[in-house]
Amino acid sequence: MILTKSVLTAAAVSAVVLLAVAPAAAQGRLNVITTTEDLASIAREVGGDRIDVEAIARGYQDPHFVEAKPSFILRLQRADLLVVVGRDLEIGWLPPLVQQSRNSKIQIGADGYVDASLRARILDIPQGQITRAMGDVHPLGNPHYWLDPDNGKVIARAIFEKLAQRRPGDRVFFEQRLNDFNGRIDAAEKRWLAMMAPYKGVKVATYHRSFSNFADRFGLDVMGYVEPRPGIPPSPQHTLDLITEMKRQNVKLVLVEPYFDLRTPNAVGRGTGAEVLVMPPSVGGVKEVTDYFKLFDYDINLLITALRKVGAAPQ
Amino acid sequence: MRTHYVVCCGLVVAVLCGHPSRGFAQTSGEQALRQEIDQLRSALADIQRQYGERLAALEARLGAAPTPPAAPAVPEQAQTPAAEVPPGAAGAGGPTGSLPIYGAASAASKIFNPDMAVIGDFLGAAGHNEVSPTPPLELHEAETSLQAIVDPYARGDFFVAFSPEGVEIEEGFITFPTVPGGLLVKVGKTRAAFGKVNTLHNHLLSWTDRPLVTNNLVGREEGISDAGISVARLIPNPWLFLEATGEVYRGNSELFTSSKRADLAYVGHLRGYYDVTENANIDFGGSYARGHNDAGVVDDVDVGRFVTDLWGVDATVRWRPLQRAIYRSFLGRSEVIWSRREQPGGPQQSIGYYASGDYQFARRWFAGVRYDRSGRAEDASVHDSGQSLTLTYWPSEFSQIRGQYRRIRYAEESTANELLFQFQFSIGAHGAHPF
């Protein structure tokens, strides 16, 4: 018995010694991990080749329901910066990953934890009493705020400030890239607004509340949702109500995120004669959308083609 | 004090009344007026100074008293408590400026309240089971969780289970996520990292019950859950996720019995994880646990000094297509556990396992099967076996209704055919979904 005990003690001691060997500190380029591909694209714009960027969630994946896979822990362990969408979008999967990352730099409140939403323009902040009877409601407002190019600039600035703080020597480089990005966004936004101008006020229905900021910026009027409440799957009664309301208001477009089932939206389309569009709300949502600019290019072209097809005019 | 007040008021009245009357008398003398004002100013300043000196003297006399200075408290009380409008809210149709906080101090304290949630687990059973019957209807458990960040170095988690048997701290521990050396340290009462099922709370299981092998070899529902220290570290390698966990426990749980301070229980676990594709992955582990058992305890004295050793291997295969992640998924899992229990009459070596598969065929629907077979820790010559079918419906992320048909062939030559059902509902903070 004594022998067993001493063997156990020796094993425990050697395990502790083995476990205590510190990992080599990361050197060289800043390692930036973002939760979504949109943030990764913006981070790439600002950081250029002086940072490594990787996103956790894919653009064609529902960002509310990402699995907290242990392989993400390994990526977070090496991260210098973690950029998150915030507003509770990642509440269902990010906290355990951050906690298990053993990385003090990216813990909530630490220097390397960047909540990109802090200065963004946030819509749909619920008023009055908030309960789950409202579905999976976000008490801090709609987290899909990156679909407004102005918020893209806000996100870029938040990332820039953190990069400049971490690499003061590269501040000028990052600042030039930030200014360049802002300039290109401004120019592109003018173009996008001009393209969408003839359709200002056109009514659309969407599956989830992913397009509030997009609609707000580009003048669409979201009149209803395929989901009866955020995060609650469609019900027959709600679908019928939506069809009736869409017919009444002569709504000719249903926008669906790539990760939702098309059965109910197609039924709505058949019931109303509306066009059902699978419209990516994120970079990587479809193959062609490889960066933040292409996201708006793709979505706006898709919308305009469909609007022309259904002959929609502002109400 | 009152005298000063009267003097002061009198002076103010005199100033207010005296000034215009003199003004009327000398309407032409602007200079005289200025002089008058200057005089009054200096008189007021004198009084202020005198007042200040007297106050200072009074304060000095009361210096020994612990009363805090009253002056700064006044403006604080006068202020209406307010919170800033969340960033970005302005212009969104929301309120602008400061938002009032009602209930001042209590509202401010809520900010640091832990995230709270209660999960109700209601169980029902029909059919017959002579060996291990459960109540026909029962609120089996109300699990309350309280979770928050403690300080920049740690977070705290409490899970308190209220059940018909009483109140029990299911888990209560502090986690230090950023200890030097890449360690993740937990201190408190925790469910031991032995295999998969032992680490899971009831509401995270794919079934209404726990497998036979858990009941027979790993300490039933409570399992190895004890006060102790857990240290986990990732093992760097270029191929896969590998994590080693070492744990030391007091040695008192459903499985182990410690009658001496030195009779600790030890648990070790090695976990590997590998992404086969972005949709599929495998998760596997090996576990070991050792501690004293109750076979040799007579009148609270461990005369037998008997020990139980447990070895376990587990494997999980997951499939979930990323783009249809909320509609389709599959989870296949198996655990094999060997038990070596020393007891009077010689050690008993038993083996048990389960294999299960759960398929999500719609956003709200899951179907599953499980096969069970396990020896008994105290008697290796007998074994129980069982089969289960489950069907689960999720009205939302926060509630779940489950039915399970279970057939168990017990070693006593008795067969139990049961229909078990479960309602689970969660209120409160949105906890993260464990993987």
Side-chain angles (χ1 to χ4, degrees):
Chain A
M1 197 59 102
I2 292 166
L3 187 68
T4 330
K5 206 167 219 176
S6 59
V7 166
L8 268 177
T9 315
V13 168
S14 53
V16 168
V17 170
L18 268 175
L19 294 175
V21 180
Q27 290 294 323
R29 303 203 296 183
L30 273 180
N31 192 354
V32 180
I33 302 288
T34 66
T35 54
T36 65
E37 292 199 56
D38 310 282
L39 298 178
S41 173
I42 296 172
R44 247 173 238 122
E45 294 284 349
V46 182
D49 58 3
R50 303 208 180 160
I51 62 170
D52 287 319
V53 187
E54 212 177 344
I56 293 178
R58 299 270 75 87
Y60 47 81
Q61 187 176 7
D62 187 339
H64 302 85
F65 298 102
V66 176
E67 286 185 296
K69 294 178 185 174
S71 41
F72 297 143
I73 296 172
L74 296 180
R75 292 196 214 167
L76 288 172
Q77 192 192 20
R78 299 187 291 265
D80 296 304
L81 285 188
L82 169 64
V83 189
V84 307
V85 174
R87 306 282 157 172
D88 282 355
L89 180 74
E90 302 100 338
I91 190 94
W93 53 274
L94 190 63
L97 290 176
V98 171
Q99 191 194 323
Q100 292 176 72
S101 72
R102 282 89 163 159
N103 185 344
S104 58
K105 286 183 269 188
I106 57 156
Q107 299 295 315
I108 295 168
D111 246 9
Y113 183 90
V114 187
D115 182 339
S117 76
L118 292 184
R119 273 172 286 165
R121 184 158 170 271
I122 304 296
L123 304 178
D124 304 338
I125 295 177
Q127 303 289 309
Q129 195 186 359
I130 304 167
T131 77
R132 289 262 159 75
M134 299 154 86
D136 196 0
V137 64
H138 289 283
L140 302 176
N142 191 322
H144 305 273
Y145 60 87
W146 65 86
L147 277 167
D148 175 349
D150 280 9
N151 278 342
K153 291 194 286 184
V154 174
I155 296 167
R157 174 152 288 279
I159 295 172
F160 158 74
E161 282 169 4
K162 210 45 103 166
L163 292 177
Q165 184 194 333
R166 278 303 176 88
R167 289 279 191 273
D170 289 334
R171 189 184 179 91
V172 177
F173 172 82
F174 294 139
E175 197 159 19
Q176 275 170 356
R177 290 194 62 98
L178 174 72
N179 292 336
D180 178 59
F181 171 74
N182 286 344
R184 282 184 292 129
I185 279 282
D186 286 338
E189 191 178 340
K190 254 186 215 159
R191 182 163 49 82
W192 295 326
L193 284 170
M195 288 166 81
M196 288 297 290
Y199 305 100
K200 200 169 173 60
V202 163
K203 291 187 174 172
V204 298
T206 71
Y207 196 103
H208 179 70
R209 281 165 206 252
S210 308
F211 297 103
S212 294
N213 283 85
F214 183 90
D216 183 71
R217 176 57 57 199
F218 296 108
L220 295 178
D221 180 1
V222 181
M223 52 67 65
Y225 304 95
V226 178
E227 285 180 334
R229 306 246 192 289
I232 303 288
S235 64
Q237 185 56 50
H238 176 76
T239 305
L240 287 177
D241 290 348
L242 181 69
I243 289 172
T244 313
E245 194 54 25
M246 283 176 69
K247 276 183 177 163
R248 196 179 70 77
Q249 298 190 32
N250 194 25
V251 179
K252 290 292 175 205
L253 219 49
V254 183
L255 308 181
V256 184
E257 298 82 343
Y259 36 82
F260 287 119
D261 190 40
L262 283 169
R263 210 174 322 152
T264 312
N266 282 340
V268 172
R270 279 194 302 276
T272 59
E275 187 82 359
V276 177
L277 280 190
V278 177
M279 187 158 123
S282 275
V283 174
V286 291
K287 235 185 282 169
E288 300 91 316
V289 178
T290 50
D291 66 35
Y292 191 63
F293 289 92
K294 291 201 179 102
L295 174 62
F296 292 99
D297 281 334
Y298 183 90
D299 283 355
I300 287 171
N301 279 323
L302 192 74
L303 267 175
I304 288 176
T305 312
L307 287 166
R308 281 189 189 137
K309 190 174 161 193
V310 296
Q315 304 298 304
Chain B
M1 222 46 172
R2 182 171 282 184
T3 334
H4 290 296
Y5 186 71
V6 172
V7 169
C8 212
C9 288
L11 201 101
V12 170
V13 171
V15 168
L16 288 175
C17 302
H19 182 238
S21 65
R22 299 193 93 175
F24 277 117
Q26 302 174 8
T27 39
S28 57
E30 200 181 292
Q31 221 170 349
L33 199 67
R34 277 201 184 149
Q35 273 179 355
E36 196 81 3
I37 291 171
D38 287 344
Q39 277 173 6
L40 281 168
R41 269 190 192 148
S42 65
L44 253 175
D46 276 350
I47 287 168
Q48 252 181 346
R49 187 174 46 77
Q50 282 174 13
Y51 222 78
E53 280 169 6
R54 287 183 186 185
L55 259 176
L58 265 173
E59 276 171 7
R61 224 185 291 166
L62 294 168
T67 326
V74 176
E76 263 180 31
Q77 280 171 359
Q79 262 177 12
T80 312
E84 276 182 30
V85 170
T96 52
S98 292
L99 300 173
I101 291 177
Y102 302 105
S106 62
S109 73
K110 282 177 196 158
I111 294 170
F112 296 112
N113 275 357
D115 290 341
M116 283 181 273
V118 182
I119 299 174
D121 181 9
F122 183 85
L123 287 179
H128 81 276
N129 185 332
E130 287 162 4
V131 179
S132 174
T134 51
L137 296 167
E138 175 188 37
L139 180 63
H140 183 66
E141 188 180 83
E143 184 193 290
T144 306
S145 64
L146 303 163
Q147 301 174 283
I149 290 171
V150 176
D151 57 25
Y153 318 106
R155 59 168 288 131
D157 296 82
F158 287 93
F159 301 93
V160 184
F162 298 84
S163 69
E165 284 85 49
V167 181
E168 193 209 1
I169 299 176
E170 197 174 359
E171 291 195 276
F173 56 89
I174 183 168
T175 307
F176 299 97
T178 58
V179 177
L183 303 178
L184 185 72
V185 178
K186 282 186 194 177
V187 180
K189 188 183 182 210
T190 58
R191 296 191 75 96
F194 186 90
K196 286 286 182 196
V197 163
N198 192 71
T199 62
L200 297 175
H201 291 193
N202 284 344
H203 61 93
L204 298 172
L205 297 169
S206 305
W207 324 287
T208 66
D209 61 347
R210 288 186 185 249
L212 284 175
V213 61
T214 305
N215 288 318
N216 289 3
L217 305 182
V218 203
R220 288 176 283 282
E221 184 176 325
E222 197 187 315
I224 312 172
S225 169
D226 199 358
I229 298 169
S230 165
V231 178
R233 189 174 191 275
L234 302 178
I235 300 173
N237 71 85
W239 306 287
L240 75 169
F241 173 93
L242 209 53
E243 184 184 47
T245 308
E247 300 181 329
V248 180
Y249 290 101
R250 177 189 161 192
N252 256 335
S253 57
E254 281 283 313
L255 183 68
F256 298 128
T257 303
S258 161
S259 48
K260 277 184 175 179
R261 188 177 276 180
D263 289 351
L264 300 172
Y266 303 90
V267 176
H269 181 67
L270 186 69
R271 180 191 184 191
Y273 171 90
Y274 182 71
D275 282 309
V276 181
T277 68
E278 67 170 21
N279 299 334
N281 53 69
I282 49 172
D283 196 339
F284 48 91
S287 313
Y288 172 67
R290 179 187 175 87
H292 287 262
N293 66 41
D294 62 0
V297 178
V298 179
D299 295 334
D300 289 336
V301 179
D302 193 356
V303 290
R305 311 292 296 147
F306 294 127
V307 165
T308 291
D309 291 283
L310 278 187
W311 291 266
V313 292
D314 62 85
T316 306
V317 179
R318 292 184 189 84
W319 170 81
R320 187 187 283 268
L322 286 194
Q323 195 163 349
R324 285 287 176 268
I326 56 174
Y327 300 101
R328 293 281 183 279
S329 65
F330 174 77
L331 187 143
R333 179 169 280 169
S334 182
E335 285 189 61
V336 186
I337 291 162
W338 291 268
S339 162
R340 184 180 181 278
R341 185 179 199 264
E342 292 175 354
Q343 60 187 41
Q348 295 290 312
Q349 296 190 45
S350 310
I351 183 171
Y353 66 91
Y354 73 89
S356 75
D358 291 281
Y359 180 65
Q360 180 187 9
F361 58 91
R363 185 162 179 183
R364 291 164 145 171
W365 289 95
F366 300 76
V369 294
R370 188 182 77 202
Y371 181 78
D372 275 310
R373 187 181 167 90
S374 178
R376 294 193 181 169
E378 298 83 3
D379 184 359
S381 65
V382 295
H383 73 265
D384 308 319
S385 64
Q387 301 90 39
S388 286
L389 292 173
T390 58
L391 186 65
T392 306
Y393 174 72
W394 283 11
S396 77
E397 271 184 86
F398 308 103
S399 60
Q400 161 182 299
I401 301 162
R402 175 174 286 150
Q404 177 174 352
Y405 167 71
R406 186 177 71 182
R407 185 176 185 279
I408 300 178
R409 177 91 181 140
Y410 286 108
E412 288 84 358
E413 297 291 310
S414 152
T415 301
N417 273 302
E418 289 166 288
L419 189 61
L420 310 166
F421 57 93
Q422 179 184 44
F423 284 76
Q424 270 190 6
F425 48 99
S426 159
I427 55 172
H430 188 316
H433 311 281
F435 185 71

